[in-house]
């Protein structure tokens, strides 16, 4: 009765030998990483070149040999040294003078954005956003600008005056 079923699930001697070899090879491949790590020699890390810094740290915060280099690097970053502007002059990264005034972000240009503390490149980025169809319907919409960080937003927020008469209605409750 089950001869047809038995015909599909029986293996000849060579097929059984092939399956056994395949299982053995699979087992060896799966066990090879474990066997390799068992016989692999242990390598110890050489910390001798960091010994002076480790001793300085352990002994109570004496200056490390590289601390002066680190301080010089931080000072250079803060003062803007080694940074060149488009004209080839060294550009200063000191805070820009900001003159706050009431403004409508939909109507002001690059010069006004610069007076609000943005760089020329940031102001051009905002203008490009407006040229591509971006509109500001409320003060919170300024946060969509990648060039505006949260601190700068909270400084500008009291001065934002958006004229909604010329803007289409926007439904904020649709989501």
């Amino acid at each position: 009765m089950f001869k047809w079923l038995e015909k599909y699930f029986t293996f000849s001697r060579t097929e059984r030998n092939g399956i056994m070899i395949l299982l053995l090879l699979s087992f060896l491949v799966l066990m090879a990483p474990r066997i390799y790590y068992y016989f692999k020699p242990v390598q110890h890390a050489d910390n001798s070149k960091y010994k002076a810094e480790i001793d300085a740290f352990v002994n109570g915060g004496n200056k490390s040999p590289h601390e002066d280099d680190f301080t010089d690097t931080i000072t250079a970053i803060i003062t803007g040294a080694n940074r060149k502007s488009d004209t080839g002059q060294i550009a200063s990264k000191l805070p820009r003078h900001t003159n706050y005034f009431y403004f409508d972000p939909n109507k002001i240009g690059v010069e006004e954005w610069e007076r609000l503390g943005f760089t020329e490149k940031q102001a051009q980025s905002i203008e490009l956003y407006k040229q591509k169809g971006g509109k500001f319907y409320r003060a919170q919409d300024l946060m969509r600008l990648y060039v505006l960080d949260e601190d700068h937003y909270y400084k500008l927020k009291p001065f934002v005056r958006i004229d909604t008469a010329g803007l289409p209605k926007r439904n904020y409750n649709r989501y």
Side-chain angles (χ1 to χ4, degrees):
M1 176 172 155
F2 293 104
K3 288 274 187 198
W4 62 272
L5 189 63
E6 188 176 306
K7 186 168 64 171
Y8 288 106
F9 290 106
T10 57
F11 299 109
S12 68
R13 173 175 259 181
T14 56
E15 290 173 336
R16 278 192 305 256
N17 288 340
I19 290 173
M20 292 304 283
I21 290 173
L22 186 63
L23 286 174
L24 179 66
L25 287 173
S26 299
F27 177 76
L28 289 175
V29 167
L30 290 174
M31 293 305 293
R34 291 188 176 104
I35 294 170
Y36 172 74
Y37 286 117
Y38 181 74
F39 291 108
K40 179 183 173 188
V42 177
Q43 296 176 349
H44 297 286
D46 180 25
N47 292 332
S48 61
K49 59 183 174 182
Y50 304 113
K51 181 121 176 84
E53 290 183 35
I54 293 171
D55 290 340
F57 179 74
V58 170
N59 291 335
N62 295 337
K63 284 178 69 173
S64 72
H66 303 294
E67 190 169 333
D68 291 333
D69 295 340
F70 178 73
T71 306
D72 293 342
T73 305
I74 294 299
T75 305
I77 290 171
I78 291 172
T79 60
N82 297 328
R83 298 203 180 206
K84 294 190 176 181
S85 65
D86 294 336
T87 61
Q89 302 294 329
I90 293 179
S92 174
K93 296 301 275 183
L94 298 175
R96 298 173 51 88
H97 176 68
T98 305
N99 182 15
Y100 293 112
F101 56 91
Y102 293 108
F103 67 98
D104 183 353
N106 293 312
K107 295 180 180 176
I108 65 174
V110 174
E111 295 82 19
E112 289 84 7
W113 287 112
E114 288 179 16
R115 281 182 38 210
L116 289 169
F118 291 94
T119 64
E120 183 180 355
K121 188 168 184 170
Q122 290 172 328
Q124 288 172 351
S125 175
I126 296 169
E127 286 301 310
L128 182 64
Y129 169 78
K130 292 190 320 187
Q131 287 174 5
K132 298 279 184 174
K135 300 260 188 253
F136 301 101
Y137 296 94
R138 55 186 182 167
Q140 291 84 359
D141 291 345
L142 287 171
M143 288 300 290
R144 290 186 298 198
L145 300 172
Y146 292 113
V147 298
L148 181 66
D149 62 346
E150 195 171 347
D151 294 336
H152 201 172
Y153 166 72
Y154 284 115
K155 290 176 185 175
L156 290 176
K157 186 178 177 183
F159 298 98
V160 176
R161 301 288 187 260
I162 298 176
D163 181 23
T164 57
L167 295 174
K169 281 278 217 186
R170 185 161 184 188
N171 184 5
Y172 287 104
N173 297 325
R174 68 178 181 195
Y175 298 109

